[in-house]
Amino acid sequence: MMKLQNDIVLRAAKGEITERSPIWLMRQAGRILPEYREVRSKLSGFIELVETPEFAAEVTIQPVDLLDVDAAIIFSDILVIPQAMGCAYQMIESKGPFFPQTVRNEAELKGIHVADPHTDLKFVTDAIRLTKKNLNGRVPLIGFAGAPWTIFAYMTEGSGSKTFSVARKILYTDPAFSHKLLDMIADSTIAYLKAQIEAGADMVQLFDSWAGILGPDQYREFSLRYIRKICKAITEVPVTVFAKGAFYAIPEMADLPCRTIGLDWHTDIRQARAQVGSTKTLQGNADPCLLYADEETISAGVKSMLSAFSGTPHIANLGHGLYPDTDPNKVRHFIKQVKAFKHNQ
Ligand code: CP3
């Protein structure tokens, strides 16, 4: 394996208190960069970009060149898993994901299978191999997948939603079906993450973007249980779990067999650290809207975030993904400030 020139993210993800907080940003690939939109405009759409390794590798590396982040994250989407299981998605311009065929009951499981990443998701592992080759050891590459609950929410609801009330209804009306589908998603995700690691992903993150719409009991039963199964199975590289809105579950997440817990911006850093203890790494958690502020306000936000994490293993990030209309120069300023911060100042 090629030696990494910059491995600070990996060292922090393994629990080291590093010389400064390493930084990467959720949704750094695509969205905000004009250079991304240029590549995207040559193609039929988002899905073609995801499924063409040469283009996916190119936009994965863009933020390393253009923003100076300490890690790349493979350009793909969490929705490739439902597709690989037999539930295809469309990406509708300026609206988001749409599933023509939802999976809402036992009968509709008929066309659904546990994904085989070596056939159904070869475009991702090919993109990872190509990205690793082209990164040439500059920074680590992060692989990722959606957490089973978030994927279940899209497969049952059929699109994005403020409430995901169809998905939540099914948890109450058909728990047996819910567990069956969640388990199939978890098994697909384990195979998928292992394939990403085999192809060269240096660490992996689970995105539970819709954690916050479940109450604590349901979160335990329908989400954490499957996140735990995945974390237990992935022993090859450090795993990060980011569960947006699940501040109530942080004490339980402290026991997950993962290395890093991602915090959203609602979460009080010192309180989370007290709940998690000192061994796990924490990642986060600036409000993505901080990046709309002037540079002085951004600098102050960075200082207050990094002071709160000071002296513990930390990876700097936002508390959710970058918003599409963020000015790349503000992002560069944020990153520079993180890199310049000295923990005893
Ligand atoms: O982080 C990165 O830079 C890597 C790429 C990445 C994308 N999606 C590319 C993308 C990652 C990690 C994701 C994860 C993802 N996808 C999540 C979890 C993270 C989160 O934000 O909570 C979710 C919920 C999705 C589902 C999804 N994909 C939605 C709701 C949408 C539409 C709205 C939007 O722009 O987020 C997408 C499309 C998508 N995925 C885009 C990109 C760059 C925009 C599509 C385009 O370029 O037209």
Side-chain angles (χ1 to χ4, degrees), residues 22-272:
I23 171 133
W24 70 278
L25 302 172
M26 291 188 276
R27 315 300 292 269
Q28 68 186 18
R31 276 193 157 179
I32 66 156
L33 293 171
E35 292 83 355
Y36 164 79
R37 285 195 287 270
E38 202 188 307
V39 175
R40 169 97 160 65
S41 69
K42 290 186 268 185
L43 307 172
S44 64
F46 173 74
I47 294 182
E48 186 185 352
L49 181 47
V50 164
E51 294 182 359
T52 313
E54 292 71 25
F55 294 127
E58 183 181 348
V59 300
T60 299
I61 297 173
Q62 281 177 347
V64 179
D65 292 329
L66 299 166
L67 302 174
D68 206 19
V69 283
D70 292 311
I73 177 163
I74 190 67
F75 188 85
S76 185
D77 202 88
I78 62 169
L79 303 177
V80 298
I81 276 288
Q83 173 167 289
M85 294 175 71
C87 179
Y89 73 105
Q90 302 170 353
M91 195 59 76
I92 298 180
E93 202 63 49
S94 68
K95 273 192 94 175
F98 175 68
F99 292 82
Q101 206 76 55
T102 52
V103 184
R104 293 181 176 171
N105 54 50
E106 190 80 32
E108 289 172 355
L109 273 177
K110 207 164 28 84
I112 302 299
H113 58 272
V114 171
D116 174 0
H118 301 287
T119 53
D120 303 328
L121 293 158
K122 191 170 175 297
F123 55 86
V124 181
T125 49
D126 284 349
I128 289 176
R129 284 196 185 86
L130 187 58
T131 303
K132 283 294 284 183
K133 180 166 162 267
N134 294 348
L135 273 175
N136 201 20
R138 287 167 64 196
V139 291
L141 178 62
I142 302 171
F144 73 91
W149 156 247
T150 289
I151 298 300
F152 175 97
Y154 281 108
M155 288 175 84
T156 51
E157 194 85 25
S159 66
S161 159
K162 278 211 176 80
T163 58
F164 279 94
S165 55
V166 174
R168 279 159 58 222
K169 172 176 143 189
I170 294 170
L171 300 184
Y172 289 102
T173 56
D174 202 345
F177 157 76
S178 301
H179 280 301
K180 209 165 176 178
L181 180 54
L182 285 163
D183 207 42
M184 289 174 77
I185 299 168
D187 288 344
S188 301
T189 305
I190 289 168
Y192 179 43
L193 290 175
K194 284 189 181 283
Q196 290 188 42
I197 294 162
E198 205 181 280
D202 298 289
M203 52 196 278
V204 295
Q205 173 158 321
L206 280 175
F207 286 90
D208 207 357
S209 304
W210 295 107
I213 60 174
L214 295 181
D217 288 344
Q218 282 201 319
Y219 193 64
R220 200 169 294 130
E221 181 177 351
F222 294 104
S223 185
L224 267 186
R225 188 206 278 212
Y226 297 98
I227 289 177
R228 181 176 297 278
K229 181 176 183 180
I230 295 168
C231 290
K232 255 193 192 158
I234 304 297
T235 52
E236 300 87 342
V237 300
V239 178
T240 299
V241 177
F242 171 69
K244 184 168 177 294
F247 55 89
Y248 57 81
I250 288 176
E252 277 169 86
M253 292 174 72
D255 298 330
L256 282 175
C258 70
R259 272 273 15 130
T260 300
I261 294 175
L263 305 180
D264 63 24
W265 76 89
H266 310 268
T267 304
D268 181 84
I269 295 167
R270 291 182 176 87
Q271 188 183 332

Side-chain angles (χ1 to χ4, degrees), residues 287-308:
D287 182 347
C289 283
L290 172 66
L291 301 180
Y292 294 119
D294 58 44
E295 292 200 347
E296 211 175 308
T297 308
I298 294 175
S299 304
V302 166
K303 246 189 195 163
S304 105
M305 168 178 80
L306 293 180
S307 312

Side-chain angles (χ1 to χ4, degrees), residues 265 285-291 317-320 323 334:
W265 76 89
N285 73 338
D287 182 347
C289 283
L290 172 66
L291 301 180
N317 207 312
L318 300 172
H320 196 199
Y323 298 132
F334 178 79

